Amino acid sequence: MPELPEVEVTRRGVAPHIEGRVVEQVVCRRDGLRWPFPPGLSALLAGRRILSTGRRGKYLLIHFEHGTLIIHLGMSGHLRVLPPGIEPRKHDHFDLVVNGPDGVQVLRLHDPRRFGAVLWHANEDGDLEEHILLRGLGVEPLGEQFDGALLHRATRRRSAPIKQVLLAGDIVVGVGNIYACESLFRAGISPKTAASRISRARYDRLAEVIREILAAAIVQGGSTLRDFIAVNGQSGYFQQTYFVYDRAGVPCRQCEAPVRQIKQGQRSTFYCAQCQR
């Protein structure tokens, strides 16, 4: 599943092609994906100018004067910017056609598994942060509010393993499975440790490496996930620097002990028992 870095890479890729452009039409080739497409979406957006793009966790936001288009890539989705006239392929379910100084361009959503989403939040419906999909999200890991003090304060009554707490997304958002495994390794924290037992000093280090890892992954175009393709058609290469993720049985890059794999909450966790205490 595309995680925060992949979504941010997507946002940065599409932004120059759609920001400031006027929507010409919206094309929906089915009734919806994970949820139905908003009714009358083409009428809502045709002739309207895109003000800016944003991201909240793993949600891509396209801001208009009268509301925000919320796009989620699901498990297998990706966006491409294409010239007009290219025939849609199977699983090309949604087009946002925009017009600007450089002519018409098509933002196309491809989603084979159809776990993605395209939703509309009108300004009259209230604060965007109160949208049902966004209101329970934690702070952004690359934002000013995120630090070790926040993690320490929010986990004093959390007996769940720290890996599960990171994935929950209600304290800090967007630290998915890959980047949680890598962050815990580089912070030297076992993924099985109860969140409430981790000290403030260790949380300071964990917050620091989460920032570093996510920022590095964005610069490197994200990770090459099975279904993720960036807007330019290329895959990321952050996976070349993995220390533990998807390396079960391979010698640890630091101590040469074999990397272990366990299941936590139906997700695979990779860690080094020697380096992570």
Side-chain angles (χ1 to χ4, degrees):
M1 178 182 293
E3 298 187 15
L4 185 153
E6 289 75 45
V7 179
E8 180 62 18
V9 167
T10 297
R11 188 200 68 78
R12 296 183 184 188
V14 304
H17 300 279
I18 66 172
E19 288 183 344
R21 272 61 172 183
V22 174
V23 174
E24 194 168 270
Q25 65 172 319
V26 174
V27 180
C28 301
R29 297 188 180 87
R30 56 180 302 110
D31 293 335
L33 299 173
R34 186 174 182 181
W35 297 288
F37 289 132
L41 189 59
S42 188
L44 272 172
L45 300 184
R48 298 283 192 159
R49 187 177 301 277
I50 296 171
L51 301 180
S52 63
T53 60
R55 178 192 51 76
R56 186 71 173 96
K58 300 178 185 180
Y59 294 95
L60 175 67
L61 308 176
I62 301 178
H63 300 294
F64 295 81
E65 186 176 349
H66 62 313
T68 299
L69 197 65
I70 303 172
I71 297 178
H72 193 279
L73 299 179
M75 297 181 68
S76 59
H78 65 262
L79 290 167
R80 298 287 301 278
V81 176
L82 303 168
I86 295 181
E87 287 296 316
R89 300 172 299 165
K90 184 179 181 182
H91 308 308
D92 285 347
H93 303 306
F94 174 85
D95 287 355
L96 185 68
V97 184
V98 299
N99 204 341
D102 48 359
V104 176
Q105 292 186 302
V106 180
L107 181 65
R108 179 165 289 171
L109 175 61
H110 180 85
D111 185 6
R113 300 190 192 182
R114 302 198 300 275
F115 278 104
V118 176
L119 302 170
W120 174 252
H121 180 83
N123 289 345
E124 62 189 32
D125 293 332
D127 187 356
L128 178 63
E129 286 291 324
E130 292 303 312
H131 186 278
I132 189 170
L133 296 178
L134 306 182
R135 64 190 179 200
L137 299 182
V139 302
E140 289 287 332
L142 299 177
E144 294 182 357
Q145 291 179 289
F146 178 64
D147 57 18
L150 170 72
L151 288 175
H152 186 260
R153 183 172 61 253
T155 55
R156 293 309 81 202
R157 297 185 179 182
R158 296 287 186 99
S159 60
I162 181 58
K163 165 79 180 310
Q164 296 302 99
V165 170
L166 290 176
L167 293 187
D170 59 332
I171 298 175
V172 57
V173 68
V175 185
N177 199 38
I178 293 173
Y179 302 104
C181 288
E182 291 297 303
S183 297
L184 289 169
F185 173 81
R186 298 192 201 188
I189 298 172
S190 168
K192 299 184 288 184
T193 303
S196 60
R197 297 186 61 188
I198 298 172
S199 69
R200 166 65 189 275
R202 300 190 83 191
Y203 271 129
D204 286 342
R205 174 59 181 157
L206 179 58
E208 179 183 8
V209 297
I210 286 174
R211 284 180 176 275
E212 291 173 353
I213 286 171
L214 293 177
I218 290 168
V219 169
Q220 295 176 47
S223 296
T224 300
L225 309 175
R226 182 174 62 184
D227 297 307
F228 176 70
I229 302 174
V231 175
N232 60 6
Q234 299 178 352
S235 296
Y237 54 93
F238 184 75
Q239 74 283 348
Q240 296 175 9
T241 67
Y242 288 168
F243 277 81
V244 288
Y245 185 81
D246 204 25
R247 301 187 74 242
V250 177
C252 170
R253 296 185 192 275
Q254 288 189 166
C255 73
E256 298 189 350
V259 172
R260 298 186 182 183
Q261 179 180 4
I262 59 174
K263 286 285 187 180
Q264 291 183 297
Q266 308 305 313
R267 305 295 298 276
S268 289
T269 294
F270 301 88
Y271 72 107
C272 174
Q274 295 295 322
C275 296
Q276 293 173 257
R277 299 291 185 176

